[in-house]
Amino acid sequence: MRRKKEFRRATRSWVALLLLAAGCLLPGLIPGRTVSVPTGVEALLTQVLTEETDPARITFVRTACGLVGKVGYFWGGKSHVVGWNPQWGWFRRVTAKGSESSGKLRRYGLDCSGFVSWAAITAWRDTSVYDTVGEGVKTQYANCAPTTDPRPGDLAFFGDLSHVGIVLGRDGSGCLWVVHCSASRKGVVVTPASVGFSLYGTPAIFDGQEGSS
């Protein structure tokens, strides 16, 4: 009995040391911490955020870009965790219906609207923001003020409301860029809005800001 207790104490000590090492070497894997923006995306942000002055919009965009190339697409994937969700990357059965992946085991991640909601609660460090943004593409669209002149942090939607992303802004050539969690591209990516985004809206998280028609 004594040996079992000693073994359990030793095991807990080793686990604690491993978690500490993970925090030093892989800070993005610790709950509550965000991950850094990839170098290539950072260069793009330098261009598209040049004229943006609202710190809330900038934080929202930069937070979203922290997951580029790091989190995969998962049908029905949501997260109410502020910062990195330790469940990402682990195999889980897809329970949401309506996808060819439904019922299958996939590495856990986010879907498009789940990505937007996660970016919002993490940028604001407040899980209640989740309800302000809403869950699901159609709900997120309904919670936006339509705009035809999108700014960084506005939401971008496919015309049939099948997909949503976050506007990064325009580069020097006028190209509008969007960060989104794409099923066809298997995760969080940055692409031109021309891949299918045609509707834009200002989410209610930006208090006092209204879209222009």
Side-chain angles (χ1 to χ4, degrees):
M1 186 69 179
R2 182 178 178 181
R3 289 183 178 179
K4 288 184 178 180
K5 289 183 178 179
E6 291 177 348
F7 177 77
R8 284 196 291 268
R9 282 198 295 268
T11 300
R12 286 195 292 267
S13 297
W14 277 108
V15 170
L17 287 172
L18 288 173
L19 288 173
L20 178 60
C24 295
L25 301 176
L26 300 170
L29 300 182
I30 302 301
R33 294 190 182 182
T34 54
V35 288
S36 59
V37 177
T39 303
V41 179
E42 184 67 58
L44 176 62
L45 290 181
T46 300
Q47 294 185 54
V48 300
L49 294 175
T50 301
E51 298 182 1
E52 183 55 61
T53 59
D54 185 342
R57 288 176 175 271
I58 294 173
T59 299
F60 186 35
V61 164
R62 294 188 63 82
T63 298
C65 287
L67 293 192
V68 173
K70 299 181 177 73
V71 172
Y73 183 89
F74 188 93
W75 179 258
K78 311 297 181 186
S79 177
H80 291 77
V81 175
V82 173
W84 184 268
N85 189 328
Q87 296 181 26
W88 290 335
W90 291 89
F91 280 98
R92 177 184 290 192
R93 194 171 302 280
V94 179
T95 57
K97 299 179 180 180
S99 168
E100 62 179 16
S101 65
S102 298
K104 299 178 181 179
L105 289 175
R106 293 286 187 272
R107 290 188 182 278
Y108 195 57
L110 293 167
D111 63 14
C112 62
S113 64
F115 167 65
V116 170
S117 298
W118 172 87
I121 68 171
T122 298
W124 269 262
R125 310 294 295 179
D126 182 357
T127 55
S128 69
V129 172
Y130 195 99
D131 294 327
T132 303
V133 175
E135 182 173 295
V137 180
K138 292 181 179 179
T139 298
Q140 290 178 349
Y141 181 73
N143 289 347
C144 283
T147 179
T148 55
D149 185 22
R151 292 171 56 186
D154 283 339
L155 301 189
F157 302 86
F158 277 16
D160 61 357
L161 298 183
S162 63
H163 193 51
V164 61
I166 301 170
V167 174
L168 300 186
R170 296 184 184 278
D171 62 19
S173 64
C175 177
L176 186 66
W177 292 85
V178 177
V179 57
H180 53 115
C181 192
S182 166
S184 62
R185 293 173 173 79
K186 304 186 186 306
V188 181
V189 295
V190 171
T191 66
S194 58
V195 298
F197 296 102
S198 59
L199 298 174
Y200 304 94
T202 300
I205 48 178
F206 299 119
D207 293 335
Q209 297 185 21
E210 298 182 354
S212 58
S213 58

